[in-house]
Structures are given as C-alpha cells and as structure tokens.
Amino acid sequence: MSTTTETTTGSAHTGDQRVGMRQGLRDSLVVMQRNLLRMMRIPEVVVFGLIQPIMFVVLFSYVFGGSINIPGAGLDPETYRQFLMGGIFAQTVTFATAGASAGIAEDMQKGIIDRFRSLPMSRGAVLTGRTLADLVQTALILVVLTVVALLVGWRIEEGVPSALLAFALLLLLGYSFTWIGALIGLSVRTPEAATSGGLVWLFPLTFISVAFVPSENMPGWLQPVAEWNPFSATVLAVRELFGNLPPGYQAPDAWPMQNPVLASALYSVLIIAVFRTLAVRKYKAAAG
C-alpha cells in the first residue's frame, strides 16, 4: 500500500514538473515575442547596433592591417583581415550585453517587470524571454556583419559545416553574455547606469584577448590572462573553424588555446549556468 502511495506521489511530482516546464517555455516564448515586436517598432536600435561593428571592420582592416605582426604571416594586410574577423564577430555578439542590461533596467524603471510579477507566470520566463529576443537580434546583426566582412575580402575556407559550428559558438557566447547583462540590469536603478555597467568591463575583456593581436605580441605577464580569457577561446575557435588562421600559425600552449572549440562551448555553458542562476535569484528576491 505504501509503495503504491509513494509511486503515485512520485508520478504526480514528475507530472507537475513537466507541466511547470511547459508553462515556463510558453511564458518565455510570449515574453520573447513581446520583446521582438518592440524591437521591430524601434528599428534604430538594430541599425545603431550594426554601425559599431561595421566601423570596427573597416577601421581595423585598413588602418591597422599592415601594422600588426601575425606569427607565420608577418605584416601582410590581407592575412590580418582574415585574422581580424573572428575577433570582430565575437566582440559584436558580446556587446549584446549592454542592450540586455539597458532593456531590463528600462522595464524595471517603467514598472513593466512589476506587471509581469503580478501575472500567474514562471518567474524565470521574463528573463529567459528577454535573453532569447536579444539572441534573435544578435543573429540578425551577425548576418549583416557577415555580408560586410565578405565585401571587404574576408572568406570562409573550411566549408559550410565548420562555418555553421562557428556561428553556433558565436551565438552561444552572445547568449551567455546576455545573462550577465540581465543580472546587471536587475542590479542598477536606471537604463543609463545599466548601459555603462554593461560596457565598462567588456572593453578590457575583449582587448586583453587574442581578438585583435596575437598573445605573443603582448607583455609576458599579460599573455596568460589573454590566453585563458573565455572570449579568446571563442575567437580562436571561430578562426579555426572558418579557416582564417595563417599557414604555420602555432597556438599558445594554454589549454583553451590548444582546445578552443571545446573550451569555447564549456566557457559559454558555465557562464549561462552561473549567471542565469544569479539573475533569476535576483529577480525572485526583488519580487519578494
């Protein structure tokens, strides 16, 4: 009798979990749709999001192209242009953090988050829906940036499957960083503070990396920092998958640089696990 009761109770608990997961998914998709509609009504947000990476592509390609030594290729501008694009792609997707921070902070300030809290919906769905909408916007920006890169001479050398994996790693990195942005947006009082908070740490993260210069060109004490930087792992991974590494290039001995594809995926999953937990906890605490 007791065994039957325990089995029934366990089945009911499992059923409740499944219902809760389905409800959370539906709520997340509704919130995502709401944010996508909002983005469509304010197209300048996407337009301005495109201007910065396009400027970086043009400026770095033609201003620094013949000035930065690439191991195995020297000062060849064409080689640097191929080398550069992995860094520009990765930088572009991580800058979605600032948009996520500002968007959530604005919703908090306008009381929209309070309205969501009053509805019978999953608490985590509000943040998940927002980050998924930011992921769609990032994918759109990535498509346009790819076209611009092709126009300035960048090429994919390793075939379609490898290229798709590279773009998947870029989107995974961008999605992981939007959770950092969500936590920042929940932790400040104004959208202006959220924008600043979402950008101030991104510049050292992206520049102290292998995005724009090889780590070998940095001071010895700074090289390990760049090589173990999660951002660097994705940059080197997409360069490898796109076939943009110069002939004879030797990756540094650090584990993430020797295994960039695996390291990129592990770093991104870890960031999502940590910062999603912190952001949802912050949201629930504020709601309470």
Side-chain angles (χ1 to χ4, degrees):
M1 181 70 178
S2 59
T3 303
T4 303
T5 303
E6 289 175 2
T7 303
T8 304
T9 303
S11 299
H13 180 67
T14 303
D16 290 343
Q17 286 182 324
R18 290 175 180 172
V19 171
M21 291 177 62
R22 287 198 297 268
Q23 181 65 39
L25 178 60
R26 284 196 296 268
D27 293 342
S28 297
L29 293 176
V30 169
V31 175
M32 181 185 74
Q33 183 181 21
R34 174 254 176 191
N35 282 284
L36 288 175
L37 288 172
R38 180 185 178 189
M39 290 175 186
M40 291 173 61
R41 291 168 183 165
I42 314 176
E44 55 266 30
V45 173
V46 179
V47 172
F48 287 127
L50 286 168
I51 291 175
Q52 180 173 290
I54 291 173
M55 288 177 59
F56 270 111
V57 170
V58 176
L59 291 175
F60 274 84
S61 294
Y62 295 104
V63 175
F64 298 109
S67 305
I68 296 178
N69 181 53
I70 305 297
L75 298 174
D76 179 41
E78 178 60 29
T79 300
Y80 181 70
R81 190 173 298 119
Q82 305 301 315
F83 180 87
L84 169 70
M85 284 312 306
I88 296 293
F89 282 133
Q91 185 189 54
T92 299
V93 300
T94 55
F95 271 50
T97 304
S101 299
I104 290 175
E106 183 180 10
D107 286 346
M108 292 279 288
Q109 188 181 56
K110 291 182 176 179
I112 295 173
I113 296 294
D114 290 330
R115 296 177 190 173
F116 283 133
R117 288 172 181 159
S118 66
L119 298 174
M121 61 186 299
S122 170
R123 294 290 175 87
V126 176
L127 301 180
T128 301
R130 172 73 209 199
T131 56
L132 288 175
D134 288 326
L135 180 63
V136 173
Q137 180 179 346
T138 300
L140 175 61
I141 292 174
L142 203 55
V143 169
V144 176
L145 183 59
T146 300
V147 174
V148 174
L150 291 171
L151 291 175
V152 300
W154 172 75
R155 294 294 180 265
I156 296 172
E157 306 291 349
E158 288 294 329
V160 174
S162 292
L164 292 177
L165 178 56
F167 285 121
L169 288 176
L170 287 167
L171 291 174
L172 182 62
L173 178 71
Y175 184 66
S176 69
F177 273 55
T178 58
W179 281 106
I180 301 177
L183 180 62
I184 293 172
L186 290 167
S187 303
V188 299
R189 296 183 178 181
T190 64
E192 293 79 12
T195 301
S196 299
L199 287 175
V200 68
W201 59 275
L202 278 176
F203 282 101
L205 182 80
T206 55
F207 280 91
I208 305 177
S209 71
V210 300
F212 306 111
V213 297
S215 60
E216 295 93 325
N217 295 11
M218 301 179 184
W221 63 270
L222 196 57
Q223 291 179 17
V225 178
E227 291 163 4
W228 284 88
N229 184 343
F231 182 79
S232 292
T234 299
V235 171
L236 190 55
V238 299
R239 281 179 184 148
E240 184 178 290
L241 292 167
F242 286 140
N244 295 153
L245 291 174
Y249 177 79
Q250 295 293 323
D253 292 333
W255 184 84
M257 300 292 94
Q258 291 292 321
N259 306 274
V261 175
L262 177 60
S264 173
L266 290 177
Y267 273 135
S268 295
V269 170
L270 180 61
I271 291 170
I272 292 171
V274 172
F275 283 93
R276 186 185 189 282
T277 300
L278 293 175
V280 173
R281 185 177 300 171
K282 182 79 174 177
Y283 179 84
K284 289 180 178 179

